[in-house]
Amino acid sequence: MEADDPVEPPAAFRDRANVATDVRERFATAWPEAWDAAGDLLDWFEPYDAVLDWDGEGPPFRWFAGGRLNASHECLDRHLAERKNRLALRWEGRLGETRAYTYLDLHREVNAFAAALRELGVEADDVVTLYMPVVPELVVAMLACARLGAPHNVVFAGFSADALTTRMERADSAFLVTCDGYYRRGDAMNQKRRADRARMALDYDLRATVVVERLGGARLGPDQHDYDALVERHAGATVDPVPRDAGDTLFQMYTSGTTGTPKSVAHTTGGYLAHVAWTSRAVLDVKPEDTYWCTADIGWITGHSYVVYGPLALGTTTVLYEGTPDHPERDRVWEIVERNAVDTFYTAPTAIRSFVKWGEQHPEAHDLSSLRLLGTVGEPIDPSAWRWYHEHIGGGECPVVDTWWQTETGAILVSTLPGVDAMKPGSAGPPLPGIDAAVLRPDGSECDPGETGLLAIRSPWPGMPRELAHATDWGRAAAGEEWCYLAGDEAVADEDGYITVLGRADDVINVSGRRVGTAEVESAVVAVEGVAEAAVIGVDHPTRGTAVHAYVSPEVDRAADDSLRESVLAAVEAAIGPLASPEQVVFTPELPKTRSGKIMRRLLEAVANGEEYGDTSALRNPEVVGELEVRREGVSDE
Ligand code: PRX
């Protein structure tokens, strides 16, 4: 993907931007002390002794060492003096319902729920799992956990019961807050049944379950509590925010990695929150008087950082959206922007590609003049979609920030600064000030401009996860002799240092901006009776970016028929959830393998994407490749 000609930031935006043009210089001359700018955005119970405490070489990295704070206090209490009656949350429900919470309302409900959780036995450092759709109670529960110093473990509501069990067991979590159900498009989905199945499969007993009523009529078992009843009973309670060390865990979550099991990522209270607040201010240009809307589901890192913690830490109004962009109509998103006079809109390329496909008549039917800034995250965006977004949504007047980051990085690391940097459609931009991102060769040396390599971060950053800060085996990546974090992405930098991220370089695929581990899907598929072997790959898709395809080789006496296909799909849905369901299941008597027996996934990817795959003579079974091409065509004609 080639980046387009640069687009200069509009002067009107620059004049009001939160960051000034000398910000890069400041970080370049005083690193890491310049990160004080992020620490200063927080209100510390105990000031930190050093911005970064380390030996100058490698881990451990202790950001804001000595500082103590509480994230619930940062997002609520400290705003009460000046803006208790300003809206903290505006919720847009799937059926067209709306709810609004002022900072005072949210503070009260978080206190009441924190008191309830404490009564149920939750103490500092207990992990509380939250398995809920995007409803205000999810934000309340996150902040109530933070108030108690209890790390939350949010599991995306679309994950299956099995996926929930794994994520609870791995986190050793004995408390669950869930919901009776939610609506997908117009249909009611029973979430409590899934939560109950997960609970029964756990190899220990839960200490308490709280159920939020969204659909109504759920029957509660022993040790299950109704959220509303708890909050009502504890109305008026106050729970002092528990002071936490900067390095203490604020939350953990699981993401897909390169192995068959999800990878745990724990974020810190001080470094994470400071980094998220600073980037919300500098990159998303959030101002307290704004209405800000990031469309991400709270179940993923984007929702944690830029729906909840970043905007609330800065005291702005954050919009929560439960629905899908085309329900009930394809102008739903623009109707919400107009009605709420949204200033900043932050979404994913997969949504933008759908908007392009549906046509500009939908945004044109609405007054979008409140918008000041647009953002994108989660996947590479091609220059034509970027330009469409810039022109048809931003009216050519709003900067578009293409923000690169990951679950592991916690917050944005690569992006243009709006009002400061020129934008190059298709390229995320330069590393943010204070971030040492580079494109490296496998030996650790830096690639020349235009040369594709691996994206790496060579110096610590405040939002780094605990696993990296303490350099347990996970994620510590050595390139040459130097400490650095390899992000797992392929990228290229240009002469100006702008980084274009090309996609994953490992066995993680990005489906509609959501991470799916091919190894996780494969382990579900090979567990199906009658399946001998399977290889799961990502194949280019016009709106989703990448789609999951499964190449399945049945056992010799098992017919490759629709019932086997159904079993494969059902197994993936049960193990992970519909988000990982293969769009195509291609049966083949054999998978292409090297002479040493390794499945050649890259070759399968090339075949499926209709790309050149070169010489197959190193394969043990080269004849299978021609066969696969025929099968692929047969399937895509269906
Ligand atoms: O491949 C990159 C892609 O999304 C991956 C991270 O996924 P996840 O941990 O789920 O976090 C998603 C939201 C931050 C990255 O390794 N990615 C993210 N942002 C961009 C991107 N690819 C290209 N351009 C981006 N702006």
Side-chain angles (χ1 to χ4, degrees):
M1 196 188 302
E2 292 269 309
D4 267 13
D5 293 340
V7 177
E8 290 299 326
F13 186 95
R14 192 171 49 225
D15 295 343
R16 292 195 54 220
N18 280 342
V19 281
T21 42
D22 65 351
V23 60
R24 287 186 187 283
E25 222 173 276
R26 232 176 338 111
F27 273 89
T29 51
W31 189 95
E33 292 74 22
W35 277 113
D36 239 345
D40 280 349
L41 294 176
L42 304 180
D43 179 27
W44 299 82
F45 293 152
E46 188 78 51
Y48 46 88
D49 308 317
V51 169
L52 175 61
D53 174 25
W54 68 315
D55 66 6
E57 284 183 15
F61 305 106
R62 297 176 63 238
W63 284 93
F64 305 110
R68 284 170 79 73
L69 74 168
N70 180 285
S72 179
H73 167 85
E74 302 295 339
C75 292
L76 299 171
D77 307 46
R78 66 168 171 149
H79 300 316
L80 295 183
E82 282 189 17
R83 53 180 78 93
K84 66 172 189 274
N85 295 322
R86 262 199 60 85
L87 289 185
L89 305 182
R90 277 182 182 276
W91 177 71
E92 297 278 343
R94 205 168 291 242
L95 301 183
E97 327 88 303
T98 58
R99 275 157 71 186
Y101 287 65
T102 63
Y103 273 93
L104 184 62
D105 297 335
L106 193 58
H107 182 260
R108 284 188 178 141
E109 193 158 322
V110 166
N111 270 281
F113 193 53
L117 287 177
R118 183 171 271 174
E119 189 187 67
L120 293 172
V122 175
E123 290 176 17
D125 296 319
D126 285 338
V127 178
V128 180
T129 300
L130 310 177
Y131 180 54
M132 291 155 88
V134 179
V135 287
E137 291 84 351
L138 175 52
V139 179
V140 172
M142 290 165 80
L143 295 176
C145 290
R147 203 164 187 87
L148 297 173
H152 53 72
N153 171 33
V154 180
V155 177
F156 172 59
F159 273 125
S160 66
D162 285 0
L164 175 61
T165 307
T166 313
R167 285 160 176 75
M168 291 191 73
E169 281 180 353
R170 292 271 311 277
D172 202 11
S173 173
F175 297 93
L176 174 66
V177 184
T178 186
C179 192
D180 60 352
Y182 59 93
Y183 295 94
R184 192 151 80 203
R185 301 190 178 277
D187 303 329
M189 314 292 291
N190 188 327
Q191 193 173 20
K192 178 152 183 303
R193 198 180 310 142
R194 263 186 278 150
D196 283 340
R197 270 210 304 272
R199 179 172 52 95
M200 285 183 298
L202 284 174
D203 56 18
Y204 54 86
D205 289 334
L206 279 187
R207 292 183 55 199
T209 304
V210 178
V211 182
V212 173
E213 188 175 287
R214 174 83 181 90
L215 304 181
R219 271 211 314 266
L220 300 183
D223 288 330
Q224 296 192 328
H225 306 267
D226 175 62
Y227 174 92
D228 289 329
L230 287 178
V231 166
E232 203 174 310
R233 187 143 55 82
H234 292 275
T238 48
V239 173
D240 289 339
V242 173
R244 302 284 282 166
D245 283 347
D248 283 345
T249 303
L250 173 60
F251 67 84
Q252 63 180 70
M253 66 187 319
Y254 289 86
T255 185
S256 293
T258 51
T259 67
T261 47
K263 149 177 166 186
S264 165
V265 179
H267 280 292
T268 64
T269 309
Y272 168 83
L273 205 59
H275 194 166
V276 160
W278 191 82
T279 45
S280 296
R281 194 172 175 281
V283 181
L284 300 171
D285 202 54
V286 167
K287 304 184 198 299
E289 61 275 17
D290 279 358
T291 297
Y292 158 94
W293 183 16
C294 167
T295 65
D297 191 294
I298 297 173
W300 306 99
I301 191 70
T302 309
H304 283 55
S305 301
Y306 297 113
V307 176
V308 180
Y309 285 112
L312 294 181
L314 296 181
T316 195
T317 302
T318 182
V319 176
L320 310 181
Y321 181 49
E322 191 195 27
T324 43
D326 58 346
H327 186 81
E329 300 295 338
R330 288 178 167 177
D331 68 342
R332 173 78 167 137
V333 167
W334 316 122
E335 184 269 319
I336 294 175
V337 170
E338 179 174 10
R339 184 158 40 79
N340 293 291
V342 169
D343 297 88
T344 297
F345 180 72
Y346 188 29
T347 195
T350 186
I352 299 168
R353 289 190 294 265
S354 296
F355 300 147
V356 174
K357 198 168 81 184
W358 298 337
E360 59 236 39
Q361 68 279 16
H362 299 296
E364 271 168 14
H366 294 276
D367 176 4
L368 305 183
S369 59
S370 60
L371 289 171
R372 187 177 79 239
L373 176 70
L374 301 174
T376 149
V377 58
E379 299 161 77
I381 180 164
D382 61 283
S384 65
W386 192 103
R387 288 195 176 277
W388 188 94
Y389 192 37
H390 183 247
E391 184 181 333
H392 294 286
I393 307 305
E397 299 287 322
C398 305
V400 175
V401 285
D402 175 355
T403 62
W404 177 89
W405 58 293
Q406 307 179 302
T407 306
E408 294 86 336
T409 71
I412 301 168
L413 296 191
V414 178
S415 169
T416 53
L417 288 172
V420 172
D421 300 316
M423 299 157 279
K424 297 189 188 183
S427 172
L432 286 184
I435 300 300
D436 181 14
V439 181
L440 303 184
R441 302 190 181 104
D443 66 4
S445 61
E446 195 161 339
C447 290
D448 293 328
E451 181 186 346
T452 300
L454 296 173
L455 183 55
I457 319 299
R458 296 182 297 191
S459 307
W461 65 97
M464 70 196 314
R466 282 169 56 90
E467 291 83 353
L468 270 181
H470 296 282
T472 53
D473 288 343
W474 176 90
R476 185 157 68 109
E481 294 299 303
E482 303 282 320
W483 178 89
C484 82
Y485 166 66
L486 285 175
D489 278 347
E490 220 164 47
V492 60
D494 70 8
E495 303 280 350
D496 301 322
Y498 277 51
I499 294 173
T500 298
V501 178
L502 303 168
R504 296 293 302 196
D506 56 10
D507 292 326
V508 171
I509 54 183
N510 194 326
V511 183
S512 301
R514 286 166 181 183
R515 257 161 87 158
V516 174
T518 54
E520 275 176 74
V521 184
E522 278 168 14
S523 63
V525 176
V526 295
V528 172
E529 213 177 297
V531 169
E533 277 189 316
V536 167
I537 57 164
V539 179
D540 297 344
H541 188 279
T543 48
R544 273 177 244 159
T546 320
V548 178
H549 285 200
Y551 283 76
V552 175
S553 153
E555 285 169 357
V556 265
D557 51 355
R558 179 65 165 97
D561 55 15
D562 280 346
S563 89
L564 187 57
R565 190 186 311 273
E566 293 301 318
S567 306
V568 165
L569 295 174
V572 176
E573 188 148 331
I576 305 170
L579 77 151
S581 248
E583 174 163 288
Q584 286 197 15
V585 177
V586 182
F587 289 119
T588 169
E590 269 185 77
L591 292 167
K593 287 188 182 162
T594 60
R595 286 185 206 286
S596 62
K598 203 167 154 283
I599 298 172
M600 291 287 288
R601 287 184 182 72
R602 295 275 174 247
L603 188 136
L604 282 172
E605 266 168 18
V607 171
N609 285 318
E611 290 162 4
E612 284 294 312
Y613 48 80
D615 185 11
T616 56
S617 61
L619 289 184
R620 185 162 78 190
N621 50 358
E623 68 290 348
V624 81
V625 179
E627 176 78 7
L628 282 173
E629 283 204 282
V630 174
R631 281 169 195 270
R632 169 188 158 258
E633 281 162 14
V635 171
S636 56
D637 282 349
E638 267 177 5

